[in-house]
Amino acid sequence: DDALSLAMELSCGLPYSCQVVGKYAALLALSQKRRVITVADVAEAMKQVDEHFFLVSAIGSRTGL
C-alpha cells in the first residue's frame, strides 16, 4: 500500500505517469525475483522514469509532437 501511494503521489495522479512508474518498479522487483513492489522499488524506478520522460520529450520536440 505504501509503494502504491508513493507511486500515485510522484506521478501527480496522471495515469500515464503512474503506469510508467509502476512498470519500472515492477520490472525491478521481478529482476530480483520478488512478487511485492516496495517503496524502495518505486524510489529507484523514479530515476528511470525521469530518463524516460526526458527521452519522450526529446523525441517529441524533434518530431513536432
Side-chain angles (χ1 to χ4, degrees):
D1 289 340
D2 291 340
L4 178 59
S5 295
L6 180 60
M8 289 189 310
E9 182 179 332
L10 293 174
S11 66
C12 300
L14 299 171
Y16 178 73
S17 299
C18 194
Q19 179 183 2
V20 173
V21 171
K23 171 189 160 187
Y24 284 112
L27 289 173
L28 181 59
L30 288 172
S31 74
Q32 297 175 3
K33 299 188 184 337
R34 290 184 287 111
R35 295 176 126 189
V36 176
I37 297 171
T38 66
V39 170
D41 294 329
V42 173
E44 184 64 29
M46 284 306 296
K47 295 175 186 175
Q48 295 174 348
V49 169
D50 288 342
E51 290 179 27
H52 172 88
F53 285 118
F54 176 74
L55 290 173
V56 168
S57 175
I59 291 168
S61 68
R62 288 185 169 220
T63 62
L65 298 175

